[in-house]
Amino acid sequence: MTLPLDGITVLDLTSGAAGAFAGMLLGDSGARVLRAVHAAAPLHRSGGFTVWDRGKEAFDWDPEAAGAEAELRRLLPGADVLLQDFAPAAPQQAMFAPAKLQALNPRLVACSITAYGMQGRWRDDPPVDDLAMARAGILSGMPGFRPAPVHVPHPLPSTGAALFACIGAAASLLARESTGRGRIVETSLLAGALLFHPKVVAEGIPPLVFQTHPSGSAPFYSLYECADGEYIQLGCVHARFIDRASEIMGIGDLVSEPRFDNVRRGDGMTEEEELRAAIAGAMKTRNAADWAADFEAADVPFAPVRQGDIVLEDPQIHHNAMLLALEDPAVGATVQMGAPIRFAETPADPKPRAAASGPRTGHAPRA
């Protein structure tokens, strides 16, 4: 049996993280991904690109060169999906005019990933995750050890945009089976940011005050340090879990006082700081492993806070085949995330990054 996208050829002309991640997901699902290599997207990129560029073939294509469009015309008739992330006002966008693409390949699914969409006053601003999160309201809703806004290090907009690009491409390929025609797909880092911090405004929805404490959104739904310097995240929402956790901590009598009923119901935090202090004091009396054993036995929702290298050694990761060992041509032996989507009977088999690039002439071959 074959992977879902076996026989699909993807032309990846992107230089940013969102396009690279989208190309990796399509490649892990069986597509053949041809990645353009040029000054803004060198052959062996660092950081997350070590993973995101895996399994892709590399070819030389300079979007600034005089023959860039002619080379594109040779490649597009053999492609099923096109990924590009040029700014809306970039001169290269002229190459991707819908009429041109349709004339070259009416079955092509052409996906554009921009910073803020093809229209509007921000459309040509740089595709920077931090800026997109600031404009989308993510930073203003993020608590920290000072009042929000707070910096968020994770590339949420690029991650969301990559997922949307893949969903749009897959949906368009499915539609092509019945219509015989490709489609234009557009997404953006702004759309990706809104995935993680959606805005809903309606008369019937009361205003929501997002998490206001750096340790967590509620006393029994927060992060606490233990005696050995390790941390545990509590996840107690319902009263029965709060009661179990407080009894194990030895503060059951305190939590059962009527003034804390609002906490047990989850509808208020009038005594929040006193309760947080009581929990923090209790958690500091024992090591994390001791708390974990008792919480596990009592079925209290919790999780130990792990460091990255320990996470990779956890049996849970190995039981689900979530790691992949690859020999990278630039950095050598690597252990990295495996294919994040598993398909029954057709396991993905990602390959390393391309060892070299070269000119590609003629059409990208179809399966």
Side-chain angles (χ1 to χ4, degrees):
M1 296 182 68
T2 59
L3 285 165
L5 295 183
D6 275 347
I8 296 297
T9 297
V10 178
L11 198 61
D12 179 3
L13 307 183
T14 66
S15 59
F21 184 33
M24 186 207 80
L25 292 173
L26 295 172
D28 283 355
S29 300
R32 179 191 182 194
V33 182
L34 309 177
R35 181 173 79 85
V37 175
H38 51 88
L43 178 61
H44 294 140
R45 300 182 280 187
S46 60
F49 293 99
T50 304
V51 178
W52 303 328
D53 285 343
R54 70 185 182 200
K56 302 174 184 177
E57 300 175 40
F59 70 98
D60 296 323
W61 181 77
D62 184 356
E64 305 289 340
E69 185 168 5
E71 177 67 4
L72 194 62
R73 286 198 298 269
R74 287 193 292 270
L75 292 167
L76 285 177
D80 296 285
V81 177
L82 167 69
L83 298 175
Q84 60 92 359
D85 60 1
F86 293 98
Q92 289 80 12
Q93 283 290 356
M95 304 182 198
F96 310 116
K100 286 185 178 180
L101 297 180
Q102 186 175 23
L104 286 168
N105 183 353
R107 292 175 55 82
L108 180 70
V109 174
C111 181
S112 168
I113 305 173
T114 58
Y116 298 98
M118 298 297 287
Q119 308 297 327
R121 59 193 176 98
W122 299 340
R123 68 175 201 150
D124 291 308
D125 282 10
V128 178
D129 283 302
D130 292 355
L131 304 184
M133 286 191 286
R135 282 173 164 156
I138 291 179
L139 305 188
S140 64
M142 185 61 58
F145 292 98
R146 64 170 178 77
V150 174
H151 173 68
V152 176
H154 304 294
L156 302 182
S158 288
T159 302
L163 296 176
F164 288 153
C166 289
I167 293 169
S172 298
L173 289 172
L174 178 62
R176 192 179 72 173
E177 292 298 304
S178 58
T179 66
R181 299 190 304 274
R183 299 197 178 196
I184 302 296
V185 177
E186 296 178 1
T187 190
S188 65
L189 269 62
L190 179 60
L194 292 176
L195 169 67
F196 294 95
H197 196 60
K199 301 291 192 296
V200 181
V201 178
E203 292 183 359
I205 300 177
L208 173 65
V209 177
F210 192 63
Q211 179 179 337
T212 57
H213 195 280
S215 295
S217 57
F220 281 92
Y221 207 85
S222 289
L223 189 69
Y224 293 99
E225 185 179 7
C226 304
D228 55 0
E230 300 292 323
Y231 284 79
I232 279 182
Q233 171 73 48
L234 296 178
C236 304
V237 177
H238 302 295
R240 67 179 182 276
F241 292 134
I242 292 174
D243 291 342
R244 290 179 193 174
S246 61
E247 288 297 328
I248 292 171
M249 294 178 194
I251 58 173
D253 290 342
L254 174 67
V255 175
S256 65
E257 293 181 12
R259 62 199 179 97
F260 292 119
D261 283 350
N262 59 333
V263 176
R264 297 176 73 257
R265 291 194 305 269
D267 61 0
M269 297 296 162
T270 56
E271 308 289 345
E272 178 176 337
E273 289 307 317
E274 181 182 354
L275 189 52
R276 284 186 183 275
I279 298 171
M283 294 294 290
K284 286 281 286 184
T285 63
R286 301 174 68 197
N287 291 340
D290 298 327
W291 286 120
D294 285 352
F295 289 152
E296 185 76 32
D299 198 28
V300 170
F302 82 100
V305 177
R306 301 284 183 82
Q307 299 297 322
D309 53 348
I310 297 176
V311 172
L312 297 183
E313 298 170 0
D314 193 284
Q316 187 69 25
I317 300 292
H318 293 273
H319 288 325
N320 289 279
M322 300 175 76
L323 292 181
L324 177 67
L326 287 178
E327 187 71 23
D328 186 85
V331 299
T334 67
V335 176
Q336 55 185 257
M337 64 175 285
I341 303 172
R342 299 186 67 183
F343 301 102
E345 302 181 15
T346 56
D349 185 25
K351 298 296 187 289
R353 292 189 289 179
S357 66
R360 182 173 298 276
T361 58
H363 296 167
R366 299 182 66 86

